[in-house]
Amino acid sequence: MTTEWKSVRLYPIPSIIYLIHNNVQFATLTYVDTSTYQIMGNLKIVTTGILFRLFLKRKLSNLQWMAIGLLAIGTTTSQVKSCGEASCDSLFSSPIQGYMLGLVSACLSALAGVYTEFLMKKNNDSLYWQNIQLYTFGAIFNMARLVLDDFRSGFENGPWWQHLFHGYNLTTWLVVLNLGSTGLLVSWLMKYADNIVKVYSTSMAMLLTMVLSVFLFNFKPTIQLYLGIIICMMSLHMYFAPPNMLVDLPLTTKPPPQSVLEVSVDRSTDS
């Protein structure tokens, strides 16, 4: 458990990035419709790959770059609605501010993820000690925002801690438990895998949610959903499969050299 200030001072940075990112997400929704917002959210797949390469110096093969692009295309395809379900004129017809905020949101999401992976792998500290530092600073910054909101409203509804759990029920607590467990799982991925694995797991979870919705909520699957699932499966195979399973690589092995005995026998024969 590293307690040196030069190590601890790095942990507020991802908390600030996530705080800004969450507010940018809400600002984006004021300009674009939900379908456009979901589709633009897939930009973080590409931005994560780019920052993964630039900041963590991880090299990706051409096949892996193609796989990341396919993943973004597959998730986007699964979210596109047909013109019969929603007006085609409403898609990508939002103000330019919405698209700019969507791009900023994708970059912030990738930056926070890549920086968190850097922190998790920086030393051999306990994963739970690292999580405590991350969540502590995150809670402090969010409490500061709540205090600011109280001052802006003139404490009209009282201080924030008096109504912090207002409206909570069993379902709410189950959602909190689910999100907390997800956070722990993501931190394990950051510590022992990488951001690309997290991106793939998030995308596959989204597709799995759509499939489960067919049985749980009578969701009608579309051709776009089927295409999206097929493309994402292709991307998954392309990224993680060994290259020799995907392309025919030329043989680079050299024939074994002749042994000393063979050379001596050849020379005696010639003589």
Side-chain angles (χ1 to χ4, degrees):
M1 293 172 56
T2 304
T3 56
E4 297 178 359
W5 171 244
K6 65 179 182 179
S7 177
V8 175
R9 68 184 179 182
L10 300 175
Y11 284 85
I13 298 176
S15 301
I16 295 174
I17 297 174
Y18 278 120
L19 178 64
I20 298 173
H21 171 250
N22 291 337
N23 285 276
V24 169
Q25 283 184 308
F26 284 105
T28 305
L29 284 169
T30 62
Y31 291 100
V32 302
D33 58 275
T34 54
S35 298
T36 304
Y37 174 79
Q38 285 182 321
I39 292 173
M40 286 197 306
N42 296 318
L43 286 173
K44 65 183 178 184
I45 297 174
V46 179
T47 54
T48 298
I50 295 173
L51 295 182
F52 185 76
R53 174 68 181 90
L54 293 178
F55 289 100
L56 298 181
K57 307 300 182 183
R58 305 288 180 82
K59 292 185 178 180
L60 299 176
S61 66
N62 292 335
L63 280 175
Q64 289 176 322
W65 280 115
M66 291 171 60
I68 291 175
L70 272 180
L71 181 64
I73 294 172
T75 52
T76 301
T77 302
S78 66
Q79 294 167 346
V80 174
K81 295 181 179 180
S82 62
C83 294
E85 300 175 24
S87 176
C88 292
D89 296 333
S90 64
L91 197 62
F92 299 119
S93 59
S94 305
I96 187 63
Q97 295 94 324
Y99 303 117
M100 295 301 297
L101 287 172
L103 180 61
V104 171
S105 176
C107 293
L108 287 174
S109 176
L111 179 61
V114 169
Y115 190 87
T116 302
E117 180 183 344
F118 164 75
L119 285 181
M120 289 294 183
K121 295 178 177 177
K122 185 175 181 293
N123 51 40
N124 292 323
D125 281 1
S126 166
L127 178 64
Y128 303 102
W129 169 239
Q130 292 176 317
N131 276 327
I132 287 173
Q133 295 176 86
L134 283 172
Y135 290 129
T136 298
F137 286 111
I140 290 173
F141 291 128
N142 281 280
M143 283 190 290
R145 175 58 191 266
L146 290 173
V147 172
L148 179 62
D149 290 342
D150 284 341
F151 276 104
R152 286 180 175 178
S153 63
F155 291 90
E156 182 179 355
N157 300 319
W160 62 268
W161 60 82
Q162 292 184 356
H163 50 84
L164 181 63
F165 299 105
H166 176 72
Y168 270 54
N169 52 31
L170 177 61
T171 305
T172 312
W173 283 112
L174 289 175
V175 171
V176 172
L177 178 63
N178 180 33
L179 292 175
S181 303
T182 303
L184 289 175
L185 289 170
V186 169
S187 66
W188 289 336
L189 285 177
M190 296 292 193
K191 183 81 170 179
Y192 302 112
D194 55 48
N195 266 278
I196 303 299
V197 177
K198 181 181 79 74
V199 166
Y200 270 95
S201 63
T202 303
S203 301
M204 296 304 163
M206 180 193 65
L207 295 175
L208 179 61
T209 301
M210 292 182 180
V211 173
L212 291 177
S213 298
V214 175
F215 302 99
L216 298 177
F217 307 111
N218 295 322
F219 172 75
K220 294 182 179 179
T222 61
I223 186 64
Q224 294 93 320
L225 175 60
Y226 292 124
L227 286 175
I229 292 175
I230 293 172
I231 295 173
C232 287
M233 291 298 106
M234 292 169 57
S235 169
L236 183 68
H237 182 64
M238 283 181 62
Y239 189 89
F240 292 103
N244 57 2
M245 290 182 60
L246 303 174
V247 294
D248 292 329
L249 297 178
L251 295 176
T252 57
T253 57
K254 297 180 180 180
Q258 290 181 319
S259 65
V260 177
L261 179 61
E262 291 175 339
V263 173
S264 61
V265 170
D266 292 341
R267 288 180 178 177
S268 60
T269 305
D270 294 337
S271 60

